[in-house]
Every structure is written in C-alpha cells, then in structure tokens.
Amino acid sequence: MQKQERYNALRREIQSVLQGEADPCVWMATLACLIREKLQYFWVGFYRVVGNELAIGPYQGTLGCLRISFDRGVCGACATRRETVIVPDVHRFPGHIACDARSKSEIAAPVFDRRGRLRAVLDIDSAELNAFDDCDRQNLEIIVDWMRDLEWPDTI
Ligand code: SME
C-alpha cells in the first residue's frame, strides 16, 4: 500500500474513533497508537508544553526522554520554529537527542490550540534513514490541526 493510502485509512479511522471527543489526552494517546499501527514507524508520541520546556506525554515505543528544553533536539527546534521539522538523518542534526540508538530519521510537528498557542509537539521516529517526506508533513499537519479546537486545560 502506498503511504498516502495508509494515511487515508488512518485519517478515516481517527475521524470515526475520535469523533466528538474533546479531551486532548485522549486524542494524544489514541493518535500515538493509531499512527504507529497504521504507518509502522518506530516511535510515535507527544511532548507537552509544560512551562518553558517539553515534557513527555502519551507515546508508543521504547523509553522516550522525559524532558526537553526548547533549545535542544528536533522537538525543541519544532517548538521554537513553530513549524514541522523533517530530519532525514538524525546523526547529522546538531543537538539531536538520541532516546534509542535505532532511531535514524525523525519528523516533529507542532500542535496548536485555537488561540494559536503551542500546546504539544507530535514526534515520530523511524528506524530507517530518510523515512519522512512531504506526504507525512501534509497528512500529519492535517491531523494535528484537528486538535486545535479541543478543550485544552491551562497545563496539559
Ligand atoms: N529525538 C528527539 C527526542 C525525542 S525521542 O526521539 C523520542 C529530539 O531530538 O528532540
């Protein structure tokens, strides 16, 4: 199956499973599971914005690092730039945080609330080099945009 077809199936499933659900934690946990299951990536999860750093949220995969400051790593770059970051080879990304040596490429997408406030970062790792492209970027940005109107508490 082509990657876009997998994303089409993923998007249909997300819409049917999470329709009417407004709790961001329920969304993050369910998305981590469904994205990993449908796309078969190595690690899928969320880092929450807590104060002035990122703290681990719901994820699927091996142990993720617990806290990341905004000036570190792929997730920190995503949070600071407020845009999706694609890293074809993590070993060539200055400041990359290696949670698991098997991770070779990575994509991180920012999650905003309806006021445009950054609330989380969706982080996905692959065990293959150069696994992520515009297809991932476009589909993941559509998916995280569905989280914009959720009922975000002051701190998630
Ligand atoms: N590699 C990330 C850290 C999180 S893990 O990949 C789960 C980074 O550099 O921000």
Side-chain angles (χ1 to χ4, degrees):
M1 207 195 282
Q2 297 282 306
K3 193 190 273 187
Q4 186 56 55
E5 290 172 39
R6 289 178 196 267
Y7 273 111
N8 291 342
L10 170 68
R11 284 164 56 175
R12 280 195 300 273
E13 187 158 7
I14 292 168
Q15 288 190 311
S16 87
V17 171
L18 285 166
Q19 193 180 29
E21 177 59 58
D23 183 323
C25 189
V26 172
W27 268 80
M28 289 190 281
T30 305
L31 289 183
C33 172
L34 291 179
I35 294 171
R36 187 156 183 256
E37 204 170 77
K38 293 277 183 220
L39 277 300
Q40 305 281 300
Y41 289 132
F42 178 68
W43 195 97
V44 181
F46 289 84
Y47 280 90
R48 300 164 297 127
V49 175
V50 180
N52 57 358
E53 64 180 0
L54 298 167
I56 193 76
Y59 69 95
Q60 298 258 324
T62 56
L63 184 68
C65 59
L66 272 54
R67 291 180 185 270
I68 300 175
S69 61
F70 283 173
D71 60 357
R72 288 196 62 218
V74 180
C75 293
C78 170
T80 305
R81 296 182 206 163
R82 293 170 60 87
E83 64 184 26
T84 301
V85 176
I86 292 177
V87 179
D89 179 351
V90 294
H91 298 297
R92 289 169 180 267
F93 187 91
H96 167 256
I97 303 161
C99 297
D100 190 305
R102 285 168 286 183
S103 171
K104 293 201 175 66
S105 59
E106 184 163 350
I107 185 169
V111 181
F112 299 105
D113 66 15
R114 67 171 77 87
R115 289 159 53 211
R117 195 170 144 200
L118 179 73
R119 304 309 303 251
V121 169
L122 168 60
D123 183 37
I124 305 180
D125 288 20
S126 169
E128 285 162 31
L129 284 170
N130 208 10
F132 301 102
D133 55 21
D134 261 346
C135 178
D136 296 279
R137 181 201 304 269
Q138 283 165 16
N139 284 281
L140 295 171
E141 286 181 354
I142 288 168
I143 291 167
V144 294
D145 197 54
W146 292 338
M147 301 175 76
R148 193 175 280 272
D149 287 324
L150 303 183
E151 287 164 14
W152 292 93
D154 284 344
T155 299
I156 180 75

